[in-house]
Amino acid sequence: MLKALTENWILKLVSLVFALVLWFFVIGERQVEVGFSVPIEYLNRPEGMIIANEVPNLVDIRLTGPRTLLMNLSAGDISFSVDLIDLKPGLTSFKRLEERLNIPGGLKVTRISPSFVDVRLDRVGEKSVPVRVVFSGELAEGHQLSDFKISPERVLIEGAEGEIKDIAEVPTQPVEIGNVRESFTLMVPLRYEGRYSRLKAEQTVEVQVKILPPPPPPPPPVVEELDETEKVEDLQ
């Protein structure tokens, strides 16, 4: 037994010293704190649904742990996801976000912002609405806007049902008619600013504008001259 313990004692002593040094290094290593901004992934959005509220794209975290671990850590080594699987329309609040972080062992989350994420899901729908032409400026003096035509007259919008139900029309960008004297045809972009919806197809419409010139001036009044006999009769 004693022989087994003393055999290769130098090698065993070196191993023991190395193990003690490593242990003291790990135990006594200075703890540091580092901050990261980590992208948030929203996974498994239910088919036919849309996220219909402002959600954060980044989460700010602060981690504490051994300096050797944090020195070689980057934001790309940390992942953060919110799983939307099987959620129904409405608002869902995700709390205890630190439990959703994938971080190396030996590190501790000391701060996380935001501390929770609210996700509102809404069904995706479609709606056909008319196009409204917006005119800007004043025609040349005496000219009149006789008529105008739009093609197409209606457009499709798609997106969150809660948003598109309140949309009654889609306006165009202003059509400038200041000092215009003749009829014209113009391709005009549509002005749609939906937050959780968009134009499905058409982004522009054709506008045909008919301008009438000023009416001709009325003829001057006709003055008839009386002959001498008529003048005498008038005097009598």
Side-chain angles (χ1 to χ4, degrees):
M1 178 69 175
L2 183 60
K3 183 179 179 181
L5 291 174
T6 57
E7 191 176 82
N8 296 325
W9 67 273
I10 296 178
L11 181 60
K12 292 179 180 179
L13 181 61
V14 172
S15 299
L16 178 60
V17 171
F18 180 77
L20 289 173
V21 171
L22 182 61
W23 183 80
F24 279 113
F25 178 77
V26 172
I27 296 300
E29 185 180 9
R30 184 165 61 92
Q31 300 285 301
V32 296
E33 187 177 68
V34 180
F36 296 95
S37 292
V38 181
I40 302 178
E41 292 185 276
Y42 295 90
L43 306 177
N44 301 316
R45 177 167 53 87
E47 187 176 356
M49 299 280 190
I50 187 174
I51 297 177
N53 69 315
E54 293 294 331
V55 293
N57 295 318
L58 293 172
V59 60
D60 293 323
I61 62 172
R62 295 198 70 83
L63 301 177
T64 184
R67 182 171 179 273
T68 52
L69 287 179
L70 289 173
M71 279 182 58
N72 299 318
L73 189 67
S74 67
D77 299 321
I78 307 170
S79 62
F80 183 87
S81 62
V82 175
D83 195 350
L84 308 178
I85 192 170
D86 294 332
L87 288 187
K88 304 299 182 184
L91 184 67
T92 302
S93 185
F94 295 88
K95 301 178 179 180
R96 302 185 65 85
L97 300 185
E98 65 276 5
E99 296 179 356
R100 302 176 184 275
L101 279 169
N102 181 19
I103 58 176
L107 301 179
K108 180 181 178 181
V109 180
T110 58
R111 181 178 178 275
I112 185 167
S113 178
S115 59
F116 65 93
V117 173
D118 287 338
V119 178
R120 181 182 298 278
L121 290 183
D122 197 357
R123 291 187 175 88
V124 177
E126 288 185 3
K127 186 178 181 180
S128 173
V129 294
V131 175
R132 175 173 62 88
V133 179
V134 178
F135 292 103
S136 175
E138 297 288 339
L139 290 171
E141 184 177 358
H143 291 70
Q144 295 181 353
L145 177 59
S146 172
D147 190 17
F148 64 89
K149 295 181 180 180
I150 318 167
S151 179
E153 296 180 348
R154 304 181 69 88
V155 292
L156 274 177
I157 54 176
E158 67 173 0
E161 288 184 344
E163 179 173 280
I164 65 176
K165 68 180 180 64
D166 297 324
I167 298 172
E169 60 185 19
V170 174
T172 66
Q173 295 287 350
V175 176
E176 179 60 48
I177 58 174
N179 294 318
V180 173
R181 300 173 181 273
E182 297 179 349
S183 301
F184 64 91
T185 298
L186 188 67
M187 296 301 297
V188 184
L190 295 174
R191 187 174 60 192
Y192 186 74
E193 300 175 352
R195 298 183 66 185
Y196 310 111
S197 57
R198 63 182 182 87
L199 292 169
K200 187 172 182 180
E202 291 86 355
Q203 302 293 322
T204 60
V205 293
E206 183 182 82
V207 179
Q208 298 178 358
V209 181
K210 186 176 181 180
I211 306 295
L212 292 182
V222 177
V223 179
E224 296 182 357
E225 293 189 1
L226 300 178
D227 58 22
E228 293 298 328
T229 304
E230 291 175 331
K231 291 180 180 180
V232 172
E233 291 178 352
D234 288 341
L235 289 175
Q236 292 176 349

